[in-house]
Amino acid sequence: EADIYQTPRYLVIGTGKKITLECSQTMGHDKMYWYQQDPGMELHLIHYSYGVNSTEKGDLSSESTVSRIRTEHFPLTLESARPSHTSQYLCASRNMEASDGYTFGSGTRLTVV
Amino acid sequence: QKEVEQNSGPLSVPEGAIASLNCTYSDRGSQSFFWYRQYSGKSPELIMSIYSNGDKEDGRFTAQLNKASQYVSLLIRDSQPSDSATYLCAVKPSSYKLIFGSGTRLLVRP
């Protein structure tokens, strides 16, 4: 049973619109991550956070931004959506001290038309 | 050279056979290793973690780690069609981030 939640599950939106993808976790995890993944392709890290008020850009350049005002919440925002942003966006979290792997949310499949 | 390398496959095995998935990594300081299963259109699901050299068994899954050779493998015994998925190897080097391989697609033929 997932303890990390992403909404919406699917989103179709027009070019130029501002969108926010929500990610929340109830596990008290310090570290949270956003990945972008095209169908059949590898995961690309676009943003991560080690705690409240901490955000960093990932390995893949992205036009999105993130915020971490509360431990449990890590939203991703696109100010002006473009067709090139069409992809699946996956949120993940893990504990600071544990050696466990990431727990992933169910993802948001974004289509920009 | 990628930090975590996997053969993209597809690896095709008959139902009931052993599927062997391999992964190599470049950072000798890596301490934690993970295998994720990802069904098409779904998010990755953690199935195994291993931290010490040797084998770790969990049901039909066995993870094997050899730090000297810098490889980690996943064996799936009695493979089932429901095991057909992409398997992602992930390695935790000295940084806080997991590094994912590009995945191996497994196809189990009925």
Side-chain angles (χ1 to χ4, degrees):
Chain A
E1 190 169 327
D3 296 308
I4 181 165
Y5 306 96
Q6 289 187 245
T7 57
R9 183 71 181 91
Y10 300 94
L11 179 62
V12 180
I13 201 160
T15 298
K17 298 292 186 183
K18 178 180 178 179
I19 56 171
T20 296
L21 308 184
E22 301 289 347
C23 176
S24 295
Q25 49 94 7
T26 59
M27 299 171 283
H29 286 174
D30 298 301
K31 300 175 191 174
M32 297 188 74
Y33 308 83
W34 275 103
Y35 285 85
Q36 184 175 342
Q37 186 182 35
D38 293 326
M41 305 299 285
E42 59 191 282
L43 292 162
H44 292 288
L45 179 66
I46 52 175
H47 295 284
Y48 60 98
S49 167
Y50 291 159
V52 171
N53 294 325
S54 154
T55 62
E56 301 286 345
K57 288 190 178 294
D59 305 321
L60 180 70
S61 175
S62 173
E63 294 163 345
S64 58
T65 59
V66 292
S67 63
R68 189 88 184 275
I69 299 172
R70 303 197 316 267
T71 298
E72 61 271 21
H73 195 213
F74 190 41
L76 180 144
T77 298
L78 278 166
E79 291 292 333
S80 179
R82 295 209 301 268
S84 60
H85 296 140
T86 295
S87 189
Q88 170 150 271
Y89 292 83
L90 292 162
C91 183
S93 73
R94 67 183 286 262
N95 213 351
M96 177 73 80
E97 299 300 331
S99 298
D100 294 336
Y102 295 178
T103 301
F104 280 89
S106 54
T108 293
R109 185 166 297 280
L110 173 67
T111 303
V112 183
V113 297
Chain B
Q1 181 191 5
K2 286 189 175 181
E3 293 180 78
V4 179
E5 298 229 35
Q6 295 181 256
N7 189 316
S8 61
L11 172 66
S12 181
V13 300
E15 184 174 355
I18 296 175
S20 178
L21 305 162
N22 299 313
C23 170
T24 59
Y25 60 94
S26 60
D27 188 331
R28 283 196 170 272
S30 299
Q31 295 297 320
S32 306
F33 307 85
F34 308 90
W35 283 100
Y36 285 81
R37 177 177 61 201
Q38 186 176 27
Y39 293 112
S40 180
K42 303 293 185 182
S43 59
E45 172 193 10
L46 180 65
I47 54 172
M48 289 287 289
S49 59
I50 187 166
Y51 312 111
S52 306
N53 278 330
D55 294 359
K56 179 182 178 182
E57 188 174 319
D58 183 1
R60 295 187 295 113
F61 299 99
T62 299
Q64 299 175 318
L65 175 61
N66 185 323
K67 290 185 179 180
S69 301
Q70 294 175 250
Y71 85 77
V72 57
S73 63
L74 179 70
L75 301 178
I76 306 175
R77 289 182 299 282
D78 188 24
S79 294
Q80 301 297 310
S82 59
D83 294 325
S84 298
T86 296
Y87 289 80
L88 303 171
C89 172
V91 175
K92 183 182 177 300
S94 54
S95 71
Y96 289 127
K97 295 180 288 180
L98 280 186
I99 307 297
F100 286 88
S102 55
T104 297
R105 189 167 147 240
L106 173 65
L107 179 64
V108 181
R109 309 186 304 272

